[in-house]
Amino acid sequence: MRPTLTWAALAALIAVPVSLAAVSPWLAYRGFAYITGGFAGILALCLLLVQPLLAAGYLPGLRGPTGRFWHRRAGIALVTLTALHIAGLWVTSPPDTVDALLLRSPTPFSVWGFISLWGIAATALLVALRRKLPPRRWRWAHNALAALVVLATVLHAVQIEGAMELISKWTLCIAALAATVAAMIDLRLLRR
């Protein structure tokens, strides 16, 4: 019974905000690139909920090596979705995207998006260099970057008034933060 409830709760936490965003009136006059980029960002936020659950082995049937395998695949998907998010925004409005990437944008959410983007890029680089670093340092750096990415992404998402419905967005963001904190406490403090 518990595995079924766990998977049902995770499915609801992801499906509800994505479904509500899909029927948002904000999308009525938006182009394909904007919608694609926006949904890439929404799906990336959903992966930030799944990632710590996979890493800590909280998902039934995905513990141990299987969970770590899917954690790595989800990391690749997260990098891909982030690139697609930036590309969609670039096609929609190159000047706004350049301003955000150069920290010239007047909107606070763009600063958090910038931090999240480079945190994800740094994490991808760190993963590529995993074999060259001592395991303990690598794990510490990976966890620190993961926490930064989740926090920055949540702050980025909650400040944007867009396709995501407010309550489901906040619920998803709080769940991602809670999963990250729980996994980090479990993996770093309770296990050797």
Side-chain angles (χ1 to χ4, degrees), residues 47-161:
L47 278 181
L48 290 181
L49 166 61
V50 175
Q51 279 291 68
L53 301 176
L54 289 168
Y58 294 152
L59 295 176
L62 295 177
R63 294 189 171 100
T66 305
R68 289 190 294 275
F69 171 84
W70 286 108
H71 178 75
R72 289 189 293 274
R73 294 300 175 266
I76 294 167
L78 182 60
V79 171
T80 304
L81 288 168
T82 302
L84 191 57
H85 181 61
I86 301 300
L89 298 177
W90 172 267
V91 170
T92 302
S93 178
D96 289 341
T97 306
V98 169
D99 285 347
L101 292 174
L102 297 178
L103 291 175
R104 295 189 309 216
S105 178
T107 55
F109 67 79
S110 67
V111 174
W112 292 112
F114 175 89
I115 293 169
S116 179
L117 166 66
W118 292 110
I120 290 168
T123 304
L125 179 61
L126 185 68
V127 168
L129 298 174
R130 181 175 186 161
R131 302 281 184 232
K132 299 181 187 290
L133 298 170
R136 191 173 187 162
R137 286 186 184 172
W138 184 90
R139 203 173 307 114
W140 183 89
H142 182 70
N143 287 344
L145 282 169
L148 174 68
V149 166
V150 172
L151 180 61
T153 302
V154 164
L155 291 171
H156 175 67
V158 297
Q159 293 181 44
I160 296 174
E161 290 183 33

Side-chain angles (χ1 to χ4, degrees), residues 14 19 36 44 87 104 110:
I14 292 171
S19 299
T36 301
R104 295 189 309 216
S110 67

